[in-house]
Amino acid sequence: MRITVTGASGLLGSSVARALVATGHEVTTLQRRPSGVDGAADVLGSVTDEESVETAVTSAEAVVHLAAKVSTMGDPKDFEAVNIGGTRTLVDAARAAGVPRLVHISSPSVAHRGASIIGDGAEAATPEFARGEYARTKGAGERIALGADSPDFRVLVLRPHLMWGPGDTQLTERIIDRARAGRMPVLGSGAALVDTLFVDNAVEAIVAAVSAVDTTHGESLVVTNGQPRAIGELMSRIAIAGGAGQPKLRIPLAPALAAGSVVEKVWALGEHDDEPPLTRFLAEQLSTAHWFDQRRTQEVLGWTPRVSIEEGMEILAAHYA
């Protein structure tokens, strides 16, 4: 199949493109810098640029859309341009080119309102209640993608949850770096149960979705390892696997939520090159349960996670060793 992958310069996008090439597909990638994926044809550009998008999707039989503006803070216009405008541009171009399949990669944060999630499925995206610009704009982008679903343009949305593993800079390396610096907090008791997703499993689920969209479309699926663990335990094991030692900083929940709100306001006042150490959304994520029923996901994709958390931790430790 001829498949276009957006956002292939990141870990997940490049890994998906590489896996698709390895299984015999003809892959074109779209991102602002070379993907580094042997066997893939790069189109250098942004999903916000109509000409680049049209070039990338020409003759495609499927599109996997991973490109996104990902950050805990930033100018709302930047998030809107990529996560909303870029998704609309991609959907419009793909439909005009006669592409029959779209696998849109979203996030469980699009349906998170701050309360615990205990064994739920993929609730509808609610950008109007989102916690932060990333979740708000990803929710709006997901609505655009699903709104275009039809028998001739089949759309399946996947929401990978808290992906981690070797090479991941969004979660894994932040935990390790902050633990090494003594700035990785465990909020409250650290006992809230959360689902995560090892990177290899995320790649295999997305590859499976390219075929699954032919029979199931017009819905969203949360993707996890299906192994809820205490958040404090997970962060400690990731930090230890990365050679940083166990996080020792503990902060009561109420002060953490208040501090997160203050930090957000301070960060919004000036330009910062780094991520804020804590936000209210992050404090909520680190202190509330969020784990999901995976039966529907595994049924639709015909997929089960291959790498367990325990095996993933061994792989992570070997990588950092």
Side-chain angles (χ1 to χ4, degrees), residues 165-251:
D168 166 53
T169 59
Q170 295 296 323
L171 178 66
T172 309
E173 291 191 0
R174 286 180 185 174
I175 290 176
I176 294 169
D177 290 345
R178 292 183 180 185
R180 186 175 288 116
R183 296 190 296 110
M184 185 67 244
V186 175
L187 305 188
S189 66
L193 291 178
V194 299
D195 263 339
T196 60
L197 180 63
F198 188 68
V199 60
D200 291 7
N201 295 332
V203 172
E204 291 166 10
I206 293 170
V207 171
V210 174
S211 298
V213 71
D214 280 342
T215 53
T216 303
H217 55 95
E219 67 176 282
S220 301
L221 302 168
V222 176
V223 186
T224 78
N225 255 55
Q227 296 178 281
R229 294 289 187 272
I231 184 66
E233 172 197 342
L234 283 167
M235 291 194 302
S236 294
R237 293 182 68 180
I238 289 173
I240 291 169
Q246 184 168 339
K248 298 179 180 179
L249 179 62
R250 290 187 173 269
I251 303 175

Side-chain angles (χ1 to χ4, degrees), residues 118-160:
I118 302 174
D120 293 344
E123 301 293 333
T126 53
E128 61 271 23
F129 299 112
R131 329 289 281 191
E133 293 303 321
Y134 171 73
R136 178 181 70 83
T137 55
K138 284 297 289 183
E142 179 177 316
R143 283 185 174 178
I144 290 169
L146 285 177
D149 178 70
S150 72
D152 296 325
F153 185 68
R154 300 181 291 278
V155 179
L156 184 60
V157 173
L158 298 191
R159 300 174 182 170

Side-chain angles (χ1 to χ4, degrees), residues 42-58:
D42 286 349
V43 175
L44 299 185
S46 169
V47 289
T48 62
D49 178 61
E50 292 183 9
E51 185 176 347
S52 297
V53 172
E54 289 171 1
T55 299
V57 302
T58 297

Side-chain angles (χ1 to χ4, degrees), residues 76-92:
K77 293 180 180 178
D78 294 337
F79 288 96
E80 291 168 0
V82 177
N83 299 344
I84 299 176
T87 298
R88 183 178 289 111
T89 298
L90 180 73
V91 166
D92 289 346

Side-chain angles (χ1 to χ4, degrees), residues 246-272:
Q246 184 168 339
K248 298 179 180 179
L249 179 62
R250 290 187 173 269
I251 303 175
L253 179 55
L257 290 170
S261 297
V262 170
V263 169
E264 285 184 11
K265 293 177 182 178
V266 171
W267 240 250
L269 294 176
E271 295 184 1
H272 299 271

